[in-house]
Structures are given as structure tokens and as C-alpha cells.
Amino acid sequence: MIKKDVIIIGGGAAGFFAAINIAEQNPTLKVAILERGKEGLQKVKVSGGGRCNVTHAEFIPQELVLNYPRGEKELLGPFHQFMTGDTIEWFEKRGVELKIEEDGRMFPVSNSSQTIIDCFLDEAKKHHVEVLYNQSVKNIFVSPRTQSRGLNFEISTNQDEFSSEKLVIATGSNPKIWKLLEGLGHAISQPVPSLFTFNIKDERIKDIPGVVALNVEVKVLGTDLWSEGPLLITHVGMSAPAILKLSAFGAIELAERHYKFEIEINFIKQSFEDCMEQLKELKQQLAKKTVFKSTQFDLPKRLWHKLVLASSLDQDSRWADLNKQQLEDFAKQLTQAIFKVDGKSTFKEEFVTAGGLDLKEINFKTFESKLHKNLYFAGEVINVDAITGGFNFQNAWTGAFIVAKSISG
């Protein structure tokens, strides 16, 4: 039996961050990370297209929590303890400078996730954190000891047997670990995918992948779900923030619909009535020109062409010749275009899961289990997830730091 003071299951972002901070704050503790893979920090590696989207430039806790479909209420207190500014300072103190991009996402100045990985590996070594790879956890036992010592944990892996005074679970979305936690009496919210793109087959978006409409409004018909922002047309359907936000906030509802539903898109973010007025003015101003060749509303030219042809107009239709019905058809395509969604695709490698450990069973002042003393959680193992943009990592840093403070104090 290998004995440690603290064992962290999971060698990802939350696991390493917790381990480093525990060991730094209390050097007397023997800290070990158990990672099932042959190397850790895999999600850090692929995040942000290999650049690692460390966090997001949002510095007000009340605003930051709005990016979490699950966890908004619970994270408010923790974000007052450790949030974006603290993350930036933590990395800068260790020689990693971050930069803010136009959309608020923050990356290392090096533009390489390896910078973050190297920082973690160096810090772990510096503070004598033992990182053990190829350790797949098979069982977790909780055995009562003397009252003064709290609870003792025994962990068996495919290779070894461990025991520790304190245990941190930072395994991300891991069904096997959730199963083990159920065995310890914890409730798990059924996991479903979040952050995915919509599969859509439709003539209006066929053959124009890569086209971006910069500011649209999207609603899921038959629900209260809606979002706004940029929309990207892809080879298989639609993506970008307007769609990804919907997939995150609607993760459970869209799963229940088996990813078959209809969306309504307002490409110009104007009411149908305002659009009609503007089209009537254009009919006067551009009378002799063809509708097809006179792109309006800051829409991409290729998308404008598709919407014109979907409105029962042809390439030679002139503005002056449009009747009321044609104007109405066109206004509908611009402001109330309905598309059928049939399935989803994973968003890059940045797969995120909605679901996990029930939030009611965690003390968010310490991220400790309410059922078992000295059992802690950090990152996506709990039922918290966010939209894309660095928010999932910020949840990992915050939870891991508070865990470290609780354990090392």
C-alpha cells in the first residue's frame, strides 16, 4: 500500500492546478496525481486549436457566471475567491504571460498550449508532486478511522494500491469515476453532450461553407431557447458562438429531442416589419438594379445570393419589379428563416459534457463533499459546464485553487 497525504485522481487542468497549489502552500504534504493515460493535460494540449484558451477577460463575478448553463448560482461565491484576475496573476508569477484577443478569449503570448503544459510540469517537479501515469482507478474505498484523523481513502488502480488522508477527484467527464462515486452514495446528473454544432441539410447553405454572418439571432422553435452572435456555415451545417451557446444552454432539452428540431434565424436582427420598410425603400432607391447583385444589411455576398434565390426570385429580378408577396417572402428569409436540424457534431476536440456530480452534494466554500469528509472535487467531474471561450478552464482553476486552500490550510 503506497501512502500519501493527498491523492488527486486525474492529471488534467484541474488535477495539476490543485496538486501544484496544495504542494506549494503546504510543502510538508506528500501529494500524488494518478493519471490513467500515458501523459496528462490532453485537453489543455488541444484547447483553442492547440493554443490553450486559458480563461476569458471577464472580471466581474456576476457577469462571469452568466456563461455557465449549469453552475451559474453555485460559482458566484467561488469566483469572489479566485477568478480571472487571479488566474492571470498566477501564470504571470510563473513566467507565463497571457494576452486578450478581440473576442475576450485569453491565450499565452506564445500562442502554444505547450507553454501551459511546461509550466505545470515544471511547477509539479519543483514542488515535489509525484505524477504517476498509466494508473487507471478501479475502486475507491472509504474506511473510517479515529475521529481525530477523519476518513481514510483506499484507491486501487490497474497497477497499485494507494491510501491517503485526503482525496481530490478531478477526472473531468468520466463515466467510470461517476459510477464509483455513485457507489459512495453520491448522485450523478445524467451526462449529455454540450458545445456541439448543428447538422443541417438545406439548399440555402449548400456549397457555401466558411461563410460567416457576423450577428444573427437564433431561436429553437417550441422552446424558450435563443441566442445571438456570429454564425458560421460549415460543410455539415452551422457552428460558431450563436449555435454553440444554444447547444450549451439547451444541452438537456436538445438531447431529449434526439437532436431533431427546427431553428428560426434572423440574419439581420431586425423585425419583419422594419425589414419590409427597408426593402420598400431599396425598391425605390435601387429600382433598375437586380436584387441578386445588390447585397444589403452587411450580409456576406454568397449568403445573400442564397437567400434571394430561396425567396422565389431569380438572378435577373429587378428591385422595381418586386411585388408585395415577393418582398414579404424575402423579408421572411432575412428575419424568420426556418431550418431543420437533424443531428449534431462534436465541436473540434473541445468536447464538453453537461452532467456530473450533483451540485447539492458539494460545499462550494471548500469544494468538499457534503457526504464524505476530506473528499474534494474540481473541474468538470461536477455538474458544471460553460460555453466556449475559456470559461470551462476558469471553472477548473477556481475549483482547484479553493480545494488547495481547503486542504493545505
Side-chain angles (χ1 to χ4, degrees), residues 292-409:
F292 190 82
K293 285 185 178 171
S294 40
T295 309
Q296 301 294 318
F297 304 105
D298 294 324
L299 283 177
K301 192 184 287 183
R302 289 195 292 162
L303 178 60
W304 174 266
H305 289 167
K306 288 282 191 179
L307 295 177
V308 168
L309 297 177
S311 310
S312 67
L313 305 176
D314 58 40
Q315 292 192 23
D316 301 321
S317 300
R318 294 187 315 149
W319 283 99
D321 300 332
L322 298 190
N323 60 35
K324 186 175 179 241
Q325 187 61 54
Q326 286 173 313
L327 286 172
E328 285 179 356
D329 284 353
F330 193 29
K332 272 188 180 169
Q333 288 297 334
L334 292 167
T335 63
Q336 301 167 358
I338 293 173
F339 292 84
K340 279 187 176 173
V341 177
D342 186 5
K344 62 173 177 54
S345 296
T346 303
F347 176 61
K348 300 183 179 174
E349 294 89 354
E350 298 175 36
F351 50 89
V352 170
T353 303
L357 188 76
D358 194 315
L359 303 182
K360 295 193 222 39
E361 299 178 356
I362 301 161
N363 174 356
F364 279 91
K365 287 180 181 168
T366 58
F367 280 76
E368 186 177 16
S369 162
K370 288 182 180 176
L371 276 63
H372 299 288
K373 191 171 166 54
N374 294 326
L375 175 61
Y376 297 84
F377 306 98
E380 278 184 57
V381 69
I382 66 177
N383 188 18
V384 167
D385 62 283
I387 62 172
T388 184
F391 301 105
N392 282 299
F393 274 143
Q394 187 55 55
N395 166 49
W397 314 139
T398 295
F401 188 85
I402 293 171
V403 164
K405 203 167 130 191
S406 310
I407 287 175
S408 57

Side-chain angles (χ1 to χ4, degrees), residues 137-328:
V137 172
K138 301 297 180 192
N139 274 304
I140 301 169
F141 301 101
V142 183
S143 52
R145 299 176 78 193
T146 60
Q147 282 301 307
S148 60
R149 299 294 299 277
L151 286 160
N152 186 52
F153 299 93
E154 290 175 9
I155 301 105
S156 61
T157 73
N158 58 327
Q159 294 199 52
D160 298 293
E161 301 283 328
F162 298 87
S163 73
S164 70
E165 206 60 56
K166 295 175 194 276
L167 179 63
V168 183
I169 311 284
T171 48
S173 305
N174 186 323
K176 286 180 182 171
I177 297 297
W178 283 331
K179 202 83 185 150
L180 294 180
L181 289 173
E182 280 183 319
L184 296 178
H186 272 291
I188 303 297
S189 298
Q190 184 61 37
V192 294
S194 178
L195 279 194
F196 48 84
T197 62
F198 293 175
N199 294 354
I200 299 168
K201 281 184 181 171
D202 192 291
E203 277 300 318
R204 289 166 291 179
I205 59 171
K206 193 180 172 188
D207 304 325
I208 57 166
V211 166
V212 177
L214 283 175
N215 199 4
V216 308
E217 191 175 273
V218 190
K219 296 176 189 170
V220 177
L221 296 180
T223 75
D224 295 330
L225 296 168
W226 74 278
S227 74
E228 57 188 0
L231 180 140
L232 167 70
I233 291 165
T234 70
H235 288 283
V236 292
M238 294 179 181
S239 184
I243 298 298
L244 294 170
K245 275 190 269 186
L246 268 187
S247 76
F249 281 91
I252 294 163
E253 197 159 353
L254 300 182
E256 286 167 356
R257 290 167 180 255
H258 305 291
Y259 309 104
K260 292 179 191 292
F261 51 91
E262 289 185 328
I263 55 173
E264 180 183 288
I265 301 179
N266 187 332
F267 285 106
I268 60 173
K269 286 186 75 176
Q270 286 187 20
S271 70
F272 173 80
E273 291 74 22
D274 287 348
C275 178
M276 276 296 287
E277 287 307 310
Q278 226 167 317
L279 291 179
K280 284 172 187 171
E281 285 173 23
L282 290 167
K283 181 176 155 80
Q284 302 299 323
Q285 294 164 9
L286 306 172
K288 291 180 181 176
K289 294 189 174 177
T290 65
V291 181
F292 190 82
K293 285 185 178 171
S294 40
T295 309
Q296 301 294 318
F297 304 105
D298 294 324
L299 283 177
K301 192 184 287 183
R302 289 195 292 162
L303 178 60
W304 174 266
H305 289 167
K306 288 282 191 179
L307 295 177
V308 168
L309 297 177
S311 310
S312 67
L313 305 176
D314 58 40
Q315 292 192 23
D316 301 321
S317 300
R318 294 187 315 149
W319 283 99
D321 300 332
L322 298 190
N323 60 35
K324 186 175 179 241
Q325 187 61 54
Q326 286 173 313
L327 286 172
E328 285 179 356

Side-chain angles (χ1 to χ4, degrees), residues 4-257:
K4 300 288 174 187
D5 296 309
V6 184
I7 282 180
I8 290 145
I9 302 175
F16 265 88
F17 205 71
I20 291 161
N21 283 292
I22 291 165
E24 184 179 43
Q25 290 169 30
N26 190 340
T28 65
L29 295 174
K30 288 181 185 168
V31 182
I33 294 173
L34 305 183
E35 165 57 38
R36 66 178 172 170
K38 60 178 188 290
E39 53 185 323
L41 300 165
Q42 287 307 291
K43 214 162 182 183
V44 170
K45 194 174 188 174
V46 300
S47 157
R51 296 194 297 146
C52 189
N53 187 182
V54 176
T55 186
H56 200 96
E58 175 53 74
F59 300 94
I60 300 163
Q62 288 84 348
E63 295 293 322
L64 184 58
V65 294
L66 299 177
N67 297 288
Y68 296 84
R70 282 145 293 275
E72 178 185 336
K73 181 164 57 78
E74 290 81 5
L75 288 177
L76 187 57
F79 283 154
H80 277 94
Q81 281 195 61
F82 188 94
M83 63 172 284
T84 316
D86 305 293
T87 300
I88 297 165
E89 187 184 1
W90 192 95
F91 281 104
E92 281 185 351
K93 274 185 180 172
R94 288 152 185 86
V96 178
E97 201 182 335
L98 303 180
K99 59 173 180 175
I100 303 172
E101 301 210 334
E102 271 184 36
D103 58 4
R105 291 183 303 160
M106 296 193 70
F107 295 89
V109 168
S110 67
N111 269 332
S112 171
S113 57
Q114 197 59 45
T115 305
I116 305 298
I117 292 169
D118 291 344
C119 168
F120 283 166
L121 294 175
D122 291 347
E123 288 293 311
K125 195 174 178 184
K126 177 180 164 185
H127 296 291
H128 310 293
V129 172
E130 197 175 355
V131 187
L132 302 166
Y133 296 104
N134 298 308
Q135 294 278 356
S136 182
V137 172
K138 301 297 180 192
N139 274 304
I140 301 169
F141 301 101
V142 183
S143 52
R145 299 176 78 193
T146 60
Q147 282 301 307
S148 60
R149 299 294 299 277
L151 286 160
N152 186 52
F153 299 93
E154 290 175 9
I155 301 105
S156 61
T157 73
N158 58 327
Q159 294 199 52
D160 298 293
E161 301 283 328
F162 298 87
S163 73
S164 70
E165 206 60 56
K166 295 175 194 276
L167 179 63
V168 183
I169 311 284
T171 48
S173 305
N174 186 323
K176 286 180 182 171
I177 297 297
W178 283 331
K179 202 83 185 150
L180 294 180
L181 289 173
E182 280 183 319
L184 296 178
H186 272 291
I188 303 297
S189 298
Q190 184 61 37
V192 294
S194 178
L195 279 194
F196 48 84
T197 62
F198 293 175
N199 294 354
I200 299 168
K201 281 184 181 171
D202 192 291
E203 277 300 318
R204 289 166 291 179
I205 59 171
K206 193 180 172 188
D207 304 325
I208 57 166
V211 166
V212 177
L214 283 175
N215 199 4
V216 308
E217 191 175 273
V218 190
K219 296 176 189 170
V220 177
L221 296 180
T223 75
D224 295 330
L225 296 168
W226 74 278
S227 74
E228 57 188 0
L231 180 140
L232 167 70
I233 291 165
T234 70
H235 288 283
V236 292
M238 294 179 181
S239 184
I243 298 298
L244 294 170
K245 275 190 269 186
L246 268 187
S247 76
F249 281 91
I252 294 163
E253 197 159 353
L254 300 182
E256 286 167 356
R257 290 167 180 255

